[in-house]
Amino acid sequence: MNRGGQLPANWTPDEDPILSAGMQIAMQWRELGAEQLKAALEAMEPELRREHRVLMVRLEMQRDAVREQRAHRRQITEIIVGAVLALAMLGAGVYVAPDSPWLATLLCGPSLLALIKVFVLRRSDPDDMKQVARAARSSTNAAGQAPPPPQPPTAV
């Protein structure tokens, strides 16, 4: 019988193929005596344990596959973020270079490499921050010593 769009939960046992097959098996088991039923169940137990073990291994493999997919997706995202940050810092460094060379040094120097290392390689060494601090100090010192840019002549 075709139930159209009706859900299987609303089917009667005669209409559901799984339930009707289960009912037929139950009817056959009913004809066995208690000792025969016990012997049959004990004989089935090792097979059921094996099937359960196989199912558990399969589920664990699926979980591992999902974990690997998530880790790969996260790694790709970190690489993309690192590349976008690197390009943005390089672009900003080139843009501000004519007016503020010290700022361009900060944007394109060791700080750029340290950020890329954090996002792409997912690690940071203490020496990275020392180099960034050293570059920042030297850039700000150079900015303080550099003469101001020439002013355009004013019209009188």
Side-chain angles (χ1 to χ4, degrees):
M1 176 183 274
N2 186 5
R3 296 296 294 230
Q6 194 176 17
L7 296 175
N10 297 330
W11 292 357
T12 62
D14 298 333
E15 297 169 336
D16 189 1
I18 295 173
L19 284 178
S20 62
M23 291 295 283
Q24 288 176 356
I25 292 171
M27 297 301 273
Q28 292 172 355
W29 282 84
R30 183 183 75 175
E31 297 170 2
L32 296 176
E35 285 150 23
Q36 292 171 332
L37 184 60
K38 182 179 177 185
L41 289 175
E42 287 175 355
M44 286 178 53
E45 186 176 359
E47 182 182 344
L48 292 174
R49 287 184 188 272
R50 278 192 300 274
E51 288 176 5
H52 179 70
R53 248 184 266 126
V54 167
L55 179 64
M56 290 296 113
V57 168
R58 194 174 297 144
L59 286 174
E60 186 61 34
M61 288 171 58
Q62 286 176 350
R63 283 188 209 113
D64 290 344
V66 168
R67 270 189 225 116
E68 288 174 8
Q69 287 175 348
R70 286 181 184 156
H72 179 69
R73 199 174 304 132
R74 188 182 74 231
Q75 186 177 11
I76 294 299
T77 303
E78 288 173 352
I79 289 173
I80 291 170
V81 167
V84 168
L85 264 172
L87 289 174
M89 287 179 72
L90 282 173
V94 169
Y95 181 75
V96 300
D99 298 328
S100 305
W102 62 273
L103 184 56
T105 304
L106 285 177
L107 289 171
C108 297
S111 59
L112 172 66
L113 296 175
L115 274 175
I116 291 173
K117 194 173 182 182
V118 166
F119 279 99
V120 175
L121 300 178
R122 287 186 270 157
R123 68 171 218 208
S124 177
D125 298 330
D127 293 335
D128 293 341
M129 294 315 295
K130 289 178 186 174
Q131 290 176 356
V132 170
R134 192 175 323 126
R137 260 193 313 275
S138 64
S139 293
T140 52
N141 289 341
Q145 294 172 358
Q151 298 293 328
T154 56
V156 207

